[in-house]
Each structure stands twice: as structure tokens, then as C-alpha cells.
Amino acid sequence: MSQPQAVTVLGATGSIGASTLDVLARHPDRYRVHALTAHRSREALLAQCRTHAPALAVLDREEDAAWLRERLGEAGLATEVRCGPEALVEVSEASEVEVVMAAIVGAAGLLPTLAAVRAGKRVLLANKEALVMSGSLFMDAVDRHGATLLPIDSEHNAIYQCLPVEHRGGLARHGVTQLLLTASGGPFRGWSAEALAGVTPEQACAHPNWSMGRKISVDSATLMNKGLELIEACWLFDARPSQIQVVVHPQSVIHSMAAYADGSVLAQLGNPDMRTPIAYGLSWPERIDAGVEALDLFQIARLDFEPADEAAFPCLRLAREAMEDGGTAPAVLNAANEVAVEAFLDGRLGFAGIGELVARVREACPLEPADALEGILAADARARREAEAWLGRR
Ligand code: NAD
Ligand code: MG
């Protein structure tokens, strides 16, 4: 039996991070935890260090790192603690690491995720914002450095499972006519624009099928999540926006589909539990136990499908337009959305204001090429400034 593979989990204390550790712990013969990282949640990271005994733990601030060092010392644990964005990059590119789970939320995950790609790791991509911001650069780096990129977003993981193993080089080459990206519709499916105006952060974060971090929960409620996923799918599968159809499927049992020229439609089904795509990403091309209950079709009984309501949920259209415009447009869209979601969660912006803010920032920011990291980060920073200025003016 070969040695267990060393895994770094970026964003270990989040929803995807915790699910990843659950799967890893089921297979100590295959995997060992090299590094765990968190932003500020030091208590949660301490608990994870006790259970998984990583070689390294990373927090954002030195004061939190010092606190963790002291607790680990008291507990007699040998985990080394580092802090700051450079430490995230270090634990992603370290030579002993074979697998990196990219599960930081938002643009903060871009640099460590890209570092893992450039170091040729097996990269499990949950952090969709990183790919949305830097699509072309990111995919070029995957090819150039021989990284193995496995999508963890359930939809993209499903499509990956429904495509031929060698699927790069355009969908048509493989007889694929369309990708069907399923969406639960979020907690406000069927609501009118008027009803949506007054929703609260608590309502937005109460997703009917999935338990997730707060940012992606709000994105699911506005359908920006589906918009970001549309952009993500374009980059992962060499697809044009017109080749992707969003299908609202409230049961979240079909995780997405690929339609072929001969009339076949391949789908991947499963209970809505992120441990399935995580286990797939870890073990591909093999399959391992994920701790997920088998799907009971008789209990599910029926599967429904409907189109998305782009009038009530403009974020999906805004994302498609950003992908069509290309260049830095997706990075601008993403940055504006991150500011808008935070303002909504802080009670500074209404639900309908999220799409409005994103649209205004897109108008205010010039379209630039996105072929270099500096330009992408500059577009991200500019969009955040425009977004804050717009919030301040209202
Ligand atoms: P979460 O908020 O639960 O966790 C985020 C993690 O990132 C935490 O460990 C947090 O400490 C860390 N983090 C946050 N800000 C950071 C920063 N500035 N610097 C360093 N670390 C930081 O989020 P989540 O729901 O686990 O989602 C993580 C990513 O996975 C997101 O990009 C999301 O879109 C994607 N995703 C999540 C799900 C899901 O079911 N939760 C499904 C598909 C995709
Ligand atoms: Mg998804």
C-alpha cells in the first residue's frame, strides 16, 4: 500500500472545509492532512487541529495565530502555526502536498488557489470566485503546469461526470450540444420582484436543500450563484454562454446534465450532500465511500423542472452578459457582488439593491483584457471602490 496523500484544506472551518475533513477522516489509509487554514475562526481551527493533527495551521492575523500556538502547546500538539496571505500560498505550493482543496470563499482564495495550480497539484476547486475572476489565466496555468483540476461545485462535478474523460477542446468535438445547469431556485423561487424587495438576510440564508456559508447562500437566493456557475462552466468545459441552459429543478437531486447530438442526455443524481463531489474529486478516477446515504428514488417520487425567472432575478442575466463581454468584466461583476452581499448581510443594502449595485459598477468600470494577474487584481480593487462609492452616495 502506498503512503497516504498529503492534503491542504484552504478554508477548513467553512461548510466545504468541514465536509472535506469528514471525507478525509473516513480514509486515513489514503489521505493525511498537511495544512488547515481559516480566516478568523480560531476556536474552530483549534478543534480541527485536535482531531486531524495537521503539520501546519494558518490564520489571517498574528494575534489569532499566537492564541492558537499557545492552546496547541498546552495540548501538546506539534502543529506549527503561521499567519497571513503568504502562508496560504506556502501551504498550497509546498512540495510535500499532493492535493489542495480550494474552499476559501471569494476573491481572497485566488492567490493560494493559483499557487496550487502553478505547483501542478491536484486542485479541488470549490472557490468558484477564483475561476470567475481569472478564467483564461487560470485555465492556461492548469495546462502549462500540468495541474489536475477537479470541480467541486456540485453542478460542475456532475457535468464532469457526464462528459468524456478528455473533454477539453470544445464541446462540439465530443458531440455535446448543450450543458444543462440545474438550479434549486433558492429560497425565493416563484416570488415576485415586489415580494423580494423586503426579504431579510435570515430568510436569504435559509436555503431549502443545502446548508452552506452565508455568502453563497445569498448568491443562491439572488441567482448570482447560478450566474457565477455559468461563467465557471464556460471556463471548465470550453463552452460559450449560449451552450449553457439553466434549468430550475427544486428537488436538487439531478446535479446537472450534458446533452449530446444523438439525443442522449446524461445526468448525475444524488442526495444534496457536498461530500459526494468532494469524495469524487479526492479519489478520481476511483470511487470511495463519502458517508452519503444512497438515493431513495421512491421517497423522492418526482422531479420537476422550470425555466429561471430572469426578470425577478436579474443577477443571472448580469453574469451571462459579463461572460459575453469577457476581459475583466467577470472580475468586476464578482467584486461588486462581494461588496453588495456583505452590505446586504450588514443591513446596509436591500435584497433588490444587490443586482442594482452590480449593474451600476459594471457600467462604471472600463473593460480591460484579463491576461495578467495585476490587471485582474486592479479591476477587482477598482470595482470594490466603485461599489463602496455607490453605497455611500445613496
Ligand atoms: P464558508 O463561509 O462556510 O467558509 C469559508 C472559509 O474560508 C472559512 O474557513 C473561512 O475562515 C475562510 N475565509 C473566509 N474569508 C477568508 C479570507 N479573507 N482569507 C482566508 N480565508 C478566508 O463558505 P463555504 O460555503 O464553505 O464556501 C466556500 C467556497 O465554496 C465558496 O467559494 C463557495 O462558493 C463554494 N461552494 C460552496 C458550496 C457549499 O455547499 N457550501 C457548494 C459549492 C461551492
Ligand atoms: Mg453549485
Side-chain angles (χ1 to χ4, degrees):
M1 181 84 207
S2 51
Q3 289 291 311
Q5 294 188 308
V7 183
T8 283
V9 184
L10 301 170
T13 55
S15 159
I16 292 288
S19 294
T20 303
L21 288 173
D22 180 286
V23 178
L24 292 176
R26 291 168 193 276
H27 303 281
D29 51 325
R30 298 182 71 115
Y31 309 105
R32 67 186 170 84
V33 178
H34 173 74
L36 297 177
T37 87
H39 190 225
R40 299 272 158 92
S41 36
R42 60 192 199 183
E43 307 262 357
L45 193 59
L46 171 62
Q48 291 184 337
C49 288
R50 285 180 189 278
T51 310
H52 302 280
L56 285 153
V58 179
L59 283 157
D60 186 43
R61 299 184 297 192
E62 176 50 32
E63 61 190 274
D64 291 322
W67 178 93
L68 183 62
R69 245 174 243 127
E70 206 174 309
R71 298 289 102 67
L72 290 169
E74 288 162 11
L77 288 167
T79 301
E80 184 189 327
V81 186
R82 296 189 190 159
C83 71
E86 316 75 45
L88 293 177
V89 168
E90 282 164 25
V91 297
S92 301
E93 62 188 17
S95 58
E96 58 267 54
V97 172
E98 285 161 273
V99 183
V100 175
M101 163 54 85
I104 290 175
V105 61
L110 175 60
L111 294 181
T113 305
L114 211 48
V117 168
R118 288 175 171 164
K121 308 298 187 194
R122 172 183 290 234
V123 179
L124 275 48
L125 183 73
N127 181 204
K128 65 191 85 185
E129 296 91 346
L131 183 59
V132 166
M133 291 173 74
S134 68
S136 160
L137 185 107
F138 191 105
M139 296 308 290
D140 283 352
V142 169
D143 290 339
R144 184 153 344 137
H145 300 280
T148 304
L149 182 64
L150 288 152
I152 297 304
D153 218 341
S154 56
E155 295 77 4
H156 307 75
N157 190 271
I159 291 169
Y160 193 95
Q161 295 192 43
C162 296
L163 291 180
V165 177
E166 288 302 332
H167 58 262
R168 301 287 297 284
L171 293 175
R173 239 175 81 180
H174 309 287
V176 178
T177 52
Q178 212 169 29
L179 301 179
L180 305 173
L181 192 65
T182 55
S184 68
F188 308 132
R189 184 175 59 85
W191 289 35
S192 67
E194 297 72 53
L196 286 171
V199 307
T200 64
E202 285 60 44
Q203 286 174 300
C205 289
H207 196 278
N209 304 342
W210 302 92
S211 144
M212 310 180 286
R214 282 166 76 78
K215 193 260 175 181
I216 185 178
S217 296
V218 175
D219 286 346
S220 300
T222 59
L223 293 197
M224 182 58 94
N225 183 50
K226 214 44 60 180
L228 297 175
E229 290 184 356
L230 186 146
I231 298 172
E232 187 185 9
C234 287
W235 289 116
L236 286 170
F237 306 118
D238 287 330
R240 295 186 302 277
S242 61
Q243 291 176 301
I244 300 174
Q245 185 175 31
V246 172
V247 178
V248 174
H249 161 49
Q251 291 91 357
S252 298
V253 166
I254 295 181
H255 298 304
S256 280
M257 299 170 259
Y260 285 83
D262 61 5
S264 296
V265 175
L266 301 194
Q268 185 258 352
L269 286 73
N271 285 316
D273 187 323
M274 290 305 293
R275 291 177 301 174
T276 295
I278 290 166
Y280 181 88
L282 283 169
S283 65
W284 177 89
E286 294 170 20
R287 300 267 183 174
I288 56 171
D289 170 38
V292 177
E293 230 178 286
L295 188 65
D296 182 347
L297 284 172
F298 296 120
Q299 201 201 329
I300 290 154
R302 58 179 279 183
L303 300 174
D304 296 304
F305 307 97
E306 59 190 63
D309 178 355
E310 293 195 19
F313 299 93
C315 288
L316 178 55
R317 173 180 52 77
L318 289 168
R320 186 185 298 111
E321 288 168 0
M323 186 63 202
E324 282 162 355
D325 287 355
T328 49
V332 167
L333 171 100
N334 177 67
N337 181 58
E338 287 191 26
V339 175
V341 169
E342 209 174 285
F344 170 68
L345 288 171
D346 291 348
R348 289 188 289 143
L349 182 69
F351 187 77
I354 297 174
E356 200 189 336
L357 172 58
V358 172
R360 294 293 87 78
V361 172
R362 278 271 285 130
E363 285 160 14
C365 289
L367 188 63
E368 316 261 16
D371 44 15
L373 195 54
E374 296 69 37
I376 293 167
L377 296 175
D380 172 273
R382 161 96 189 250
R384 286 171 199 270
R385 285 196 303 276
E386 296 284 355
E388 289 296 351
W390 186 85
L391 284 167
R393 276 199 301 276
R394 282 179 326 133

